[in-house]
Amino acid sequence: MTVVRLPMLPGAEKTPWAASVNGKDHSIPIESNAILLDVLRDQVGNLGVKRGCDLGTCGCCAVLIDGQPRLSCLTLAREVEKSEITTVEGLSDGHHLHPIQETFAEYGGSQCGFCTPGFLVVISALLEENPQPSDAEIKTAIEGNLCRCTGYQQIVDSVRAASEILVAGKVIQNSTDQKSDPHPGFGE
Amino acid sequence: MAEKKDMVGYRQQPGKLPFTRPGSGGKNSFSEPRDESMIPASQGGEKNQPWGSHRHDELLSGRVIGKPTSLIDSKWKVTGQAHYGDDIRLPGELIGKIVRSPHHYAKVLSIDATKALELPGVIAISTGADASQKFGVLPVTKDEHAMAVETVRHVGDIVACVAAENEMTALEAVRLIDVEYEVLESIHDMKDGLKDSEKPIHDRGEYHIGEANIQKRVFQEFGDVNGIQDNAIASHKSNWYFGGVNHAATEPHAAVAHWDPSGRLTLYTPQQVPHYVHRALADVLEIPMHQINVHRTFVGGGFGGKSDPFPHEMCAAILARKSGRPVRITFDREEVYWLNRGRHPSHIEMNLHADSKGRLCGIETDALIDGGAFASFGHVTTYYNGVLHTAPYEIGAFHYTGARVWTNKPASGAMRGHGAVNSRCAVEVGIDDLSEQLSVDPITFRLANLLPPHSATITGFRVTSIGMRECLERVKEESGWDEKFRKMPLGRGIGIGCGFFISGSGLPIHWDPNKFPHATVHLKIDMDGGVTVHTGAADIGQGSDTVIAQSVAEVLGLPLDMIRVRSRDTDTSPVDLGSYSSRVTFMNANAAISAAMKIRQELIEATVKITEAPAKKLVIGDRRIFRKDDPAVGVSYLEALHKAQEERGALIASGAYRTPPMGRAHKGAAAGLAPAYSFSAYVAEVEVDPETGQTKVHKVWAAHDCGKALNPLAVKGQIIGSCHMGMGQVLSEEMRYGRDGHLMNPDLLDYKIPSIHEMPNVIPIIVESNDPEGPFGAKEAGEGPLLPILPAVCNAVYDAIGIRTHNLPITPDKMFKAIEKKCKLLGIDDPLNLPSPIIEHSELQSTLKARAKTHTQRDIDRRLNDDIEAYHNGALFGMDPTIPPDEVDEKWTVSVLPSKEYLSNPRLAGKAWLHTERRRRGD
Ligand code: FES
Ligand code: FES
């Protein structure tokens, strides 16, 4: 079979790319110009990372690179080789939601939910660094994220509530742990 | 291996248990006591009812209705497991890409796909020749094709589409397709659309209006319009221009089509209105509807932008049929603007008149709206620009001329606050100006001119509950209005604006409402006790699944986690008109309640059988049905359920909602009819920098009458979100077209939606006017709250700097020029010396205050009293309120065609009436 090189595809050959995504090591063949957003969505399978604009304007595609928020649509996958990438799927440990995930649900931080993954990772980075952010700090942290539904106010409410949980050290109920019974007294 | 025993006859399974024991079902095995604070006084509970009782009161079990409730799908959203259009990945999928027109208006002479087809990896290519059927959201104006048939009508119009193994190959194939065009003369200025043209953008056959590009024209006059001037002592006249705005939902459109082995099509799409897509697909693909399943994915924001059946959805289905493989088409942000369907760019002339008693003796509106290249919802929009400002005020006479024209731009359509937003802004700013001319307070002026509850507007709309007065009073008080209005220093200002919006459209688009219901909900409860709710209502993030689940949970006395809503597939959901015109809560929750009532009845009958208590004495609490007078006597929900299931298995029930007969008989009387209307009043506080023209909104007090907040968390979210969107339109958003007609800002950098830094602090205030027909008293809260923010900001800007702008958005450059102009006019060098507007009340103020006071009492009487007389608009002007005015007064006429006299000097949109329809031209 003859192989036809497409004129638009500068680097059709793929070379391995290694990184840890949500704590799991991946080694995937990618093209040299592959965009991190595409690699995460199409190859690693993190469909929680959203594409809203592809131009760095909406913040839906934000992920954490070694703990720092970054727009994956403006990042070449090669740039972040060997780093630790966290997407929205990696915020909970499978048993516990991150406090900001809990409070987003509870305080109306999410309506249609499309912007939510971007907000969540950015806010989780903020809270990691500064568990008690002021309103101005919250605003600065999420200034790169657009939300068309909520008008941001309930997002800020959610951040404040999450901060309270973190500061008070309140434990979020773990609904999937074997030891805790999600349906207490069922069948008694 | 276990020893094999002889099996003789029917054998009990060893260890078989009876059903799960009473009290269980849901997370907590113990039934909670009824929350008396949520049970209304009419049922012996503790909840006060200042607005009277409601027909659904007896259904309240104090569970979830009225409590802030997080969306039932929020855990999906916060964990990244919510799958939107582009997240649907089917094995073997192909990527679809679209060939778009580079010309505004052109004939497609030929399409040559040979080179593209030779490219390895290209599986299918389709052009307009594959789908000749027209479609469109409104059956009266089907004017779209899946792909261009002969003509492209705007830059970005679809010419062909490609399916390939991967995105890069598909894009390359798009590049390789040769299309030959013959460029036609395009039109961009909507005023040109009113003129005859050589080749109108569409041909309506014998219904074509002249040879012009007029898609729809409306003329309406109610009352003695010619007599307005005789009575007026103050008049406001303004010429507005509103830029077009886009929904800018964060999720770009996407569609995945898949034909299964049995030859049925499933289309996955983030849609507000799956049913219309369902119909359009059947038309375009020429297959029966039952061969199609439309699956609504999670929807990443709609706002009206995902409510038409779209050409790209057809393309995906056509490509999938051609290739035999699933096809996924996803838009990039730019393509979203080519699809558009946003708010119409509009020229609106607004004339308002007040008489010596401070009454609105006339409203004369003329609206020319730019429809872009297709009809979309435009037929309705043209009406809405007029009829939706005939309330909440009582009006002496009303004139409206409206016209929607085609231009070679991406089509305008329905967007949050459909058709009402721009003209409402003009009305409310006009009232501000009238109050200024009369030297009265604008809030007092409004309070003295409101229609009462249970009345009819000048156009004959039946208005039931009205919370307008309370909205105005609440924002006045909470904003500290009296201390601030006209009293703040230069550059600081406060302003008021009101809104009025339909809560569901009275007429379904596709059928006779007397034959089919607007909404249907099915319930199914099997032995596990969980309730499966089937509804076609599309949850687009507003929380419709949640509100329907809440309604069912409330009526059955169950915790929310026992309700699961299945609303995605047209295969399993009853037909629903979808999420538009703010109909979902009103209609679907009503349908859900009626279905749940049937189940409730069965449960109560079963309880009667078990306990022998009379049905009348039984009430429903948390998973328990018991005697009201002796709560110890009762059965658990599961016991009652299993009793009811004996002999017949799963309980199923269907409930439906249809609107009551309403409205008058004139042409267009149905447009704007709704079973209920929402009302709102906002006060905005702004800062305008006199030196730079920069406007910043600091605070908004936002009162909205939603009848009853079924989920206050969601209602507040809707109010704040509406402020966001309205703020964008008034301050920064506009689809800007360059001199040669090109869209200059199809991206989110140049099309500026407010970020967190531009958002004011919004204080949502919920007013509950308890609508008699709404579910538990509820009305809409999704669109109406957008209306008041525009005029509130415009009026606040005037209060801040004394400049009225009639051109939106109020960008700093426009404001700066206006300030310069004003300084020049007044001979002032430094803008910081501009005078700030002041007010000294005239005598009329106390007259209005007194009238507002009497009206307050009148309104309370009318809302609490079941036995009230009819009230038609006109009573304020001394007419008999109980009879429609045209039956009393000869001069009071209703006309839907312009007179010769009018045509001798028509207004802007009125010029549309200078043309004659082809069929009436005799040749
Ligand atoms: S998709 Fe990356 S910022 Fe919008
Ligand atoms: S929740 Fe819809 S965009 Fe933010």
Side-chain angles (χ1 to χ4, degrees):
Chain A
M1 208 183 102
T2 47
V3 179
V4 180
R5 269 288 295 279
L6 300 179
M8 281 187 63
L9 305 180
E13 70 273 15
K14 297 180 173 183
T15 48
W17 169 84
S20 139
V21 181
N22 299 328
K24 187 166 179 268
D25 289 334
H26 287 269
S27 179
I28 308 170
I30 65 162
E31 290 155 16
S32 59
N33 62 351
I35 301 291
L36 180 59
L37 174 58
D38 295 328
V39 173
L40 287 175
R41 281 180 65 81
D42 300 341
Q43 291 185 269
V44 185
N46 286 104
L47 290 168
V49 188
K50 300 297 180 210
R51 179 199 310 275
C53 68
D54 247 348
L55 287 172
T57 50
C58 72
C60 294
C61 63
V63 296
L64 301 183
I65 308 292
D66 296 327
Q68 289 305 312
R70 191 101 166 234
L71 297 175
S72 62
C73 72
L74 295 187
T75 305
L76 286 173
R78 283 278 169 241
E79 289 177 61
V80 298
E81 184 126 34
K82 307 247 157 58
S83 50
E84 289 196 5
I85 301 170
T86 311
T87 70
V88 65
E89 288 99 336
L91 290 184
S92 80
D93 65 3
H95 294 291
H96 303 81
L97 291 181
H98 189 285
I100 190 63
Q101 290 176 302
E102 283 282 348
T103 56
F104 249 61
E106 194 179 330
Y107 290 81
S110 178
Q111 280 183 28
C112 80
F114 197 80
C115 68
T116 305
F119 274 97
L120 290 176
V121 294
V122 168
I123 294 165
S124 74
L126 167 74
L127 291 175
E128 180 73 43
E129 211 177 278
N130 176 3
Q132 258 182 309
S134 66
D135 280 4
E137 285 165 331
I138 298 175
K139 285 188 178 183
T140 314
I142 59 174
E143 65 191 359
N145 293 72
L146 294 179
C147 173
R148 193 55 157 169
C149 301
T150 63
Y152 309 103
Q153 206 156 303
Q154 290 178 330
I155 292 180
V156 175
D157 291 349
S158 313
V159 182
R160 287 198 204 114
S163 155
E164 264 166 43
I165 292 176
L166 283 171
V167 171
K170 191 178 130 192
V171 184
I172 301 230
Q173 200 197 332
N174 174 351
S175 64
T176 55
D177 193 330
Q178 287 283 307
K179 280 173 268 163
S180 82
D181 184 355
H183 304 294
F186 182 78
E188 269 162 20
Chain B
M1 241 179 82
E3 201 179 319
K4 204 176 166 199
K5 285 191 186 158
D6 288 347
M7 289 188 38
V8 184
Y10 180 79
R11 191 174 59 89
Q12 276 267 332
Q13 233 175 292
K16 180 174 168 180
L17 290 169
F19 289 133
T20 325
R21 264 165 249 156
S24 62
K27 279 185 182 164
N28 189 342
S29 61
F30 297 103
S31 175
E32 289 162 23
R34 260 158 79 104
D35 183 350
E36 290 298 323
S37 69
M38 299 305 283
I39 306 284
S42 67
Q43 300 299 309
E46 292 161 9
K47 198 167 176 62
N48 285 336
Q49 294 180 294
W51 296 78
S53 56
H54 192 272
R55 70 196 164 100
H56 287 153
D57 279 354
E58 59 170 22
L59 299 176
L60 288 165
S61 58
R63 289 260 27 158
V64 275
I65 289 295
K67 297 183 179 172
T69 308
S70 52
L71 303 185
I72 55 175
D73 50 8
S74 54
K75 292 277 161 68
W76 273 260
K77 291 170 181 165
V78 299
T79 52
Q81 293 176 74
H83 288 170
Y84 300 81
D86 186 55
D87 301 333
I88 306 298
R89 304 291 167 106
L90 302 178
E93 65 165 10
L94 298 175
I95 303 298
K97 285 282 166 195
I98 291 169
V99 181
R100 293 180 179 275
S101 162
H103 302 295
H104 296 298
Y105 193 25
K107 256 203 190 120
V108 179
L109 300 178
S110 67
I111 303 176
D112 180 2
T114 343
K115 273 187 276 168
L117 275 169
E118 280 167 6
L119 193 68
V122 173
I123 310 295
I125 291 180
S126 178
T127 66
D130 294 333
S132 57
Q133 295 290 340
K134 285 182 176 179
F135 67 92
V137 65
L138 304 185
V140 285
T141 54
K142 291 188 181 177
D143 64 355
E144 294 182 61
H145 287 103
M147 287 156 279
V149 172
E150 288 173 18
T151 320
V152 286
R153 296 183 167 87
H154 63 89
V155 171
D157 207 359
I158 301 183
V159 182
C161 55
V162 179
E165 293 288 355
N166 56 49
E167 190 176 357
M168 276 305 163
T169 312
L171 281 172
E172 178 61 10
V174 164
R175 205 179 64 87
L176 290 175
I177 294 179
D178 274 328
V179 187
E180 206 185 327
Y181 298 96
E182 179 194 323
V183 177
L184 302 168
E185 198 184 325
S186 54
I187 69 158
H188 301 281
D189 185 339
M190 62 181 116
K191 290 180 188 162
D192 292 339
L194 290 168
K195 299 177 197 152
D196 280 341
S197 116
E198 207 125 285
K199 192 174 178 343
I201 296 171
H202 291 274
D203 191 316
R204 298 271 311 275
E206 57 168 347
Y207 295 100
H208 203 93
I209 300 171
E211 293 302 316
N213 277 299
I214 300 162
Q215 186 244 319
K216 174 74 190 164
R217 58 184 179 183
V218 175
F219 183 94
Q220 289 193 330
E221 268 181 7
F222 295 85
D224 179 12
V225 173
N226 296 326
I228 295 177
Q229 288 294 352
D230 306 341
N231 301 328
I233 62 157
S235 291
H236 160 88
K237 297 196 167 155
S238 56
N239 264 323
W240 284 82
Y241 176 73
F242 295 88
V245 291
N246 182 268
H247 320 82
T250 44
E251 183 204 15
H253 301 70
V256 179
H258 172 49
W259 295 78
D260 68 23
S262 55
R264 295 186 79 235
L265 167 70
T266 298
L267 184 85
Y268 301 82
T269 177
Q271 254 290 350
Q272 299 180 239
V273 186
H275 180 64
Y276 294 171
V277 181
H278 198 179
R279 281 175 180 256
L281 280 170
D283 285 350
V284 173
L285 302 169
E286 300 183 75
I287 55 170
M289 270 175 84
H290 62 75
Q291 287 298 94
I292 303 169
N293 174 29
V294 179
H295 175 101
R296 175 187 57 80
T297 63
F298 273 86
V299 182
F303 317 113
K306 289 172 181 154
S307 56
D308 292 48
F310 289 121
H312 68 270
E313 294 169 328
M314 313 296 147
C315 288
I318 294 167
L319 286 173
R321 176 150 74 177
K322 266 198 154 174
S323 64
R325 286 170 58 181
V327 171
R328 168 161 61 93
I329 294 183
T330 305
F331 279 9
D332 62 28
R333 181 52 61 180
E334 186 175 320
E335 291 181 287
V336 174
Y337 289 91
W338 299 130
L339 191 66
N340 193 23
R341 319 292 155 137
R343 206 179 310 293
H344 292 64
S346 315
H347 284 291
I348 296 181
E349 259 179 57
M350 182 60 65
N351 298 352
L352 298 182
H353 309 273
D355 65 11
S356 57
K357 295 198 175 135
R359 302 175 297 198
L360 267 178
C361 61
I363 297 186
E364 299 173 288
T365 310
D366 178 271
L368 174 63
I369 60 175
D370 186 344
F374 296 102
S376 185
F377 279 92
H379 192 82
V380 183
T381 325
T382 318
Y383 279 109
Y384 280 2
N385 263 282
V387 297
L388 290 189
H389 57 267
T390 56
Y393 312 112
E394 213 165 329
I395 305 165
F398 177 65
H399 161 100
Y400 172 59
T401 37
R404 181 180 191 267
V405 295
W406 295 299
T407 59
N408 296 108
K409 299 189 187 118
S412 309
M415 179 170 163
R416 204 178 201 175
H418 187 191
V421 174
N422 295 346
S423 51
R424 167 61 56 187
C425 178
V427 167
E428 296 293 322
V429 170
I431 290 181
D432 210 61
D433 184 38
L434 279 183
S435 313
E436 172 109 9
Q437 292 182 33
L438 298 171
S439 299
V440 295
D441 179 81
I443 293 189
T444 315
F445 182 89
R446 287 173 169 88
L447 286 171
N449 282 292
L450 296 177
L451 281 164
H454 304 286
S455 54
T457 69
I458 196 163
T459 42
F461 298 159
R462 181 202 72 160
V463 183
T464 47
S465 58
I466 300 187
M468 191 73 241
R469 188 174 300 282
E470 288 62 27
C471 289
L472 279 164
E473 280 163 356
R474 292 280 301 274
V475 290
K476 180 180 160 131
E477 194 187 305
E478 299 202 12
S479 66
W481 176 263
D482 289 335
E483 288 76 56
K484 291 178 180 164
F485 181 64
R486 297 286 188 263
K487 292 182 184 146
M488 293 164 101
L490 181 77
R492 282 278 191 167
I494 193 164
I496 174 96
C498 292
F500 161 81
F501 202 69
I502 53 171
S503 188
S505 154
L507 280 186
I509 293 173
H510 280 282
W511 55 74
D512 179 351
N514 299 319
K515 293 213 181 100
F516 295 103
H518 281 66
T520 310
V521 169
H522 295 165
L523 301 182
K524 188 212 86 180
I525 315 184
D526 219 322
M527 290 185 177
D528 62 324
V531 186
T532 308
V533 183
H534 291 286
T535 167
D539 196 316
I540 57 174
Q542 84 281 44
S544 71
D545 279 0
T546 309
V547 97
I548 292 165
Q550 278 182 290
S551 305
V552 173
E554 184 75 20
V555 175
L556 298 180
L558 299 175
L560 211 47
D561 56 11
M562 289 180 74
I563 319 290
R564 52 237 173 177
V565 181
R566 291 288 174 270
S567 58
R568 300 195 171 282
D569 290 279
T570 54
D571 268 3
T572 51
S573 310
V575 164
D576 191 87
L577 294 173
S579 292
Y580 67 94
S581 67
S582 285
R583 55 178 292 285
V584 175
T585 295
F586 197 93
M587 297 187 176
N588 281 277
N590 257 325
I593 290 172
S594 95
M597 274 164 71
K598 292 180 186 162
I599 301 273
R600 181 183 164 111
Q601 189 54 34
E602 291 191 69
L603 293 177
I604 289 195
E605 275 162 25
T607 313
V608 170
K609 278 192 201 143
I610 303 172
T611 63
E612 288 174 358
K616 269 195 298 216
K617 295 265 180 220
L618 294 173
V619 291
I620 289 198
D622 176 17
R623 288 161 293 152
R624 215 174 114 75
I625 301 156
F626 53 93
R627 277 188 80 120
K628 214 191 282 186
D629 49 1
D630 183 4
V633 179
V635 297
S636 80
Y637 161 71
L638 283 184
E639 273 176 309
L641 177 69
H642 294 152
K643 181 82 192 162
Q645 284 179 343
E646 279 176 8
E647 316 282 332
R648 55 172 291 203
L651 301 187
I652 35 182
S654 171
Y657 175 79
R658 74 183 62 188
T659 54
M662 297 177 293
R664 298 168 74 123
H666 58 269
K667 183 171 192 280
L673 272 189
Y677 296 90
S678 75
F679 298 85
S680 27
Y682 288 9
V683 164
E685 200 177 315
V686 308
E687 185 180 344
V688 181
D689 185 336
E691 290 179 304
T692 63
Q694 176 88 34
T695 304
K696 172 133 181 72
V697 183
H698 283 289
K699 206 161 179 178
V700 178
W701 292 265
H704 179 71
D705 163 26
C706 64
K708 157 118 192 144
L710 304 185
N711 181 0
L713 184 73
V715 171
K716 286 182 183 163
Q718 288 296 320
I719 294 176
I720 304 167
S722 294
C723 278
H724 167 95
M725 200 170 271
M727 276 253 319
Q729 188 182 351
V730 66
L731 291 182
S732 61
E733 290 176 32
E734 178 179 13
M735 287 174 73
R736 280 183 288 115
Y737 294 90
R739 230 169 304 162
D740 58 356
H742 273 288
L743 179 58
M744 299 198 295
N745 56 348
D747 59 74
L748 290 174
L749 197 62
D750 299 303
Y751 182 89
K752 172 85 178 103
I753 76 173
S755 78
I756 177 112
H757 292 303
E758 282 89 29
M759 260 314 272
N761 176 10
V762 181
I763 299 170
I765 300 166
I766 296 175
V767 171
E768 300 188 316
S769 64
N770 192 26
D771 190 77
E773 271 165 45
F776 305 108
K779 302 187 282 190
E780 72 94 28
E783 301 190 70
L786 189 143
L787 273 42
I789 182 74
L790 282 81
V793 170
C794 290
N795 290 335
V797 165
Y798 178 76
D799 190 42
I801 193 137
I803 291 171
R804 289 235 180 256
T805 39
H806 297 127
N807 189 320
L808 294 191
I810 314 176
T811 46
D813 55 324
K814 287 184 202 163
M815 193 34 109
F816 183 79
K817 277 195 197 119
I819 294 171
E820 258 187 341
K821 202 168 138 198
K822 176 137 197 200
C823 287
K824 226 180 190 171
L825 195 76
L826 298 179
I828 297 173
D829 285 342
D830 186 350
L832 292 174
N833 294 331
L834 275 173
S836 191
I838 45 166
I839 190 166
E840 219 166 287
H841 290 153
S842 67
E843 276 163 33
L844 194 56
Q845 172 74 12
S846 47
T847 318
L848 292 181
K849 258 199 161 150
R851 190 160 84 219
K853 205 167 162 201
T854 1
H855 283 184
T856 306
Q857 198 48 48
R858 170 197 73 180
D859 291 2
I860 293 177
D861 292 346
R862 286 186 71 84
R863 78 187 193 210
L864 290 179
N865 200 338
D866 283 341
D867 185 26
I868 39 168
E869 283 188 329
Y871 188 107
H872 290 271
N873 178 84
L876 188 60
F877 297 86
M879 296 178 149
D880 184 342
T882 58
I883 314 170
D886 47 333
E887 290 171 23
V888 207
D889 187 340
E890 255 175 39
K891 277 210 243 147
W892 209 102
T893 50
V894 176
S895 60
V896 293
L897 285 174
S899 61
K900 283 229 171 67
E901 196 191 336
Y902 175 82
L903 288 180
S904 64
N905 184 21
R907 304 170 75 187
L908 181 56
K911 291 203 178 85
W913 289 91
L914 294 174
H915 299 275
T916 314
E917 271 183 21
R918 276 195 198 131
R919 59 180 176 150
R920 301 200 193 282
R921 291 211 297 265
D923 53 330

